[in-house]
Amino acid sequence: MSSVEQMAGSSEQAPVRQQSPGTASLVLGAVTLAMIVCPLLPVPVPMWVRLLLVCSIVPVGFSAVVSGTVALRRMRGRQGADRFRARAGITLGTAALVIPLAVIVWAIWALNQAYQ
C-alpha cells in the first residue's frame, strides 16, 4: 500500500472531538442564570412553563456546581489543562443559587419591616 493510499484511508475517518472538561458545568450555569428571568417572559407563555423553569433553578444550579467541581478534580495534576469552563460553570451556578436566596431573604426582611 502506498503512502498516498494510507493517507487517503486515514483521512476518511473523522477525528473524534473530545469535549473539554467543564463544558457541561458552563452550559448548566448559563442556563440556570437564564432561568432566573423566566417570570419576566411575555404573557403568551403559559404559566406552567414559567413555574416549571423557576422550580428548576435550584436543581440545575446545583448540578452546575457539582459537575464543575467534578471536572476540576479530574483535571487535577494535568499540565496545561484549561480550567476556565469548569470555574465559570461553578461561578454561574453559585450565582444562580445565591441571587434567588438573597431576594427571598430581602423580601422576608422587607415584609417584616412593613408590618412592624
Side-chain angles (χ1 to χ4, degrees):
M1 190 182 261
S2 71
S3 63
V4 174
E5 289 173 348
Q6 289 175 348
M7 290 176 59
S10 65
S11 66
E12 290 177 9
Q13 297 175 352
V16 177
R17 186 172 172 199
Q18 293 182 355
Q19 182 179 1
S20 176
T23 301
S25 176
L26 179 61
V27 170
L28 286 170
V31 167
T32 307
L33 275 181
M35 287 192 299
I36 289 177
V37 296
C38 287
L40 304 176
L41 289 173
V43 175
V45 176
M47 185 56 92
W48 68 269
V49 172
R50 294 182 203 173
L51 183 63
L52 178 67
L53 292 173
V54 168
C55 290
S56 302
I57 290 173
V58 172
V60 176
F62 185 71
S63 298
V65 172
V66 169
S67 65
T69 304
V70 169
L72 282 177
R73 287 185 187 228
R74 286 184 181 167
M75 286 187 273
R76 184 178 293 162
R78 279 202 228 163
Q79 295 294 337
D82 185 18
R83 293 171 174 80
F84 173 75
R85 292 180 184 187
R87 289 180 181 155
I90 292 171
T91 303
L92 292 174
T94 303
L97 293 173
V98 170
I99 290 170
L101 182 64
V103 169
I104 290 170
V105 168
W106 173 79
I108 291 171
W109 177 81
L111 288 173
N112 281 336
Q113 295 297 318
Y115 289 112
Q116 286 184 355

